Structures are given as structure tokens and as C-alpha cells.
Amino acid sequence: MIKGLFETHLNVSNYEISAEFYERLLNITPLHEDRNRKSKFYWVGKPGESMLGIRENYPTRDIQRQHFAFRVELEDIINAMDYLNDLGIESTNFYGDRSDDLMVFPFMPAVSIYFDDPDGHSVEFIAMLDDEPRPDLEIMSWKEWDRLHER
């Protein structure tokens, strides 16, 4: 019955600052803004497929760090660090290292890059790899993964 994850909502301290961040970062499509509720909604990807909502101080003024990931193409993950740096956003690998050595999650397998939004929410760009899943392996660098696959 479930076809996918449709929407994610974030509690933010200032929805206008967060809106500027996400609109600049992701080139997502604004859908609706409710100034009375201090909230804004976006289509992520094709309209009607997935939605991101941000709302200021809702349900509380306490901002609890949350994590979510945007699916990207493998070609995009290669340039993601430079893209983020050009926007003045520091990025890290899974272990929090600021390096070009991105990590692979063998059980999927997928490679990703992490960064924080203005409220400290953990945001991830993640790209699936075409290789067979290897749940028997620990998280490893992309370079190690490629060596394992003789690339």
C-alpha cells in the first residue's frame, strides 16, 4: 500500500531564514506560504511527488535536531561538496570529517554527503550505487568501495 515518503516537516526558529536557505540550496519549487502560521511548503522533485514543509516554532520553540536526506543522482554527489562550498555551506562525510573522502553504506549501497541547515538540522544528499548490497561490510570510504569492486 505504501508507495513512498510524501512529506517532511521541520520546526525552524525563523521560517524566512530557513526558506532562503532551502530555496537557494536545492532549487526546490515553492508551493504555498502561510505568513499567519509562519510556514512555507515546497515541492521536492516533480510536483505532487514529495513535499517539504517548514514552520516556525511549531509545535514548540525548542528546536530538536532532526535528520533527513534528499535523493540525488550519483553524478551530482561527485560535485556536491564544491556546490555546497560555493554556497558557503560546510559539508562532511558520515563521520563528520571535512574531506573529499565520502562514505558508502554497503547494506544499500549508497554514498552521501552531510551538512546542516540554519537550525542545525542534519541534511544529507544520498545517491544509490549500482552495485549489489553488501550488508556483511561496515561503512567504508567510497575509494575503498571502488577498490573492492576493482574500479
Side-chain angles (χ1 to χ4, degrees):
M1 184 165 106
I2 294 174
K3 305 293 185 202
L5 185 62
F6 183 74
E7 68 186 284
T8 298
H9 287 248
L10 296 174
N11 180 15
V12 299
S13 60
N14 183 313
Y15 91 101
E16 291 171 332
I17 290 172
S18 292
E20 180 182 318
F21 176 84
Y22 285 104
E23 288 169 20
R24 180 175 57 110
L25 173 68
L26 300 172
N27 195 25
I28 57 180
T29 306
L31 170 63
H32 177 70
E33 181 173 9
D34 184 337
R35 290 191 174 276
N36 292 330
R37 291 174 45 205
K38 295 184 177 181
S39 59
K40 196 159 185 180
F41 303 90
Y42 301 92
W43 289 127
V44 179
K46 293 180 186 175
E49 270 190 8
S50 182
M51 187 176 71
L52 172 67
I54 56 173
R55 188 160 177 195
E56 187 173 317
N57 299 320
Y58 181 82
T60 174
R61 290 188 179 279
D62 298 328
I63 305 298
Q64 181 179 6
R65 178 180 168 90
Q66 296 185 346
H67 170 75
F68 63 100
F70 290 104
R71 183 181 63 236
V72 300
E73 296 298 327
L74 189 58
E75 304 81 51
D76 295 325
I77 207 85
I78 293 167
N79 300 313
M81 186 171 289
D82 290 337
Y83 172 71
L84 293 168
N85 285 339
D86 288 348
L87 293 174
I89 299 168
E90 288 186 8
S91 58
T92 68
N93 64 23
F94 175 75
Y95 293 115
D97 298 328
R98 288 175 170 75
S99 75
D100 293 335
D101 207 10
L102 299 181
M103 308 310 285
V104 169
F105 304 101
F107 69 93
M108 299 170 95
V111 61
S112 68
I113 189 168
Y114 292 79
F115 53 98
D116 290 341
D117 82 352
D119 286 297
H121 294 299
S122 170
V123 185
E124 178 183 9
F125 288 158
I126 189 164
M128 295 298 292
L129 298 168
D130 289 332
D131 305 308
E132 289 296 316
R134 292 289 308 271
D136 55 309
L137 299 175
E138 297 294 323
I139 295 170
M140 64 179 65
S141 75
W142 198 0
K143 292 172 187 168
E144 291 172 303
W145 181 262
D146 278 347
R147 275 195 302 271
L148 181 70
H149 291 87
E150 299 177 354
R151 291 191 284 257

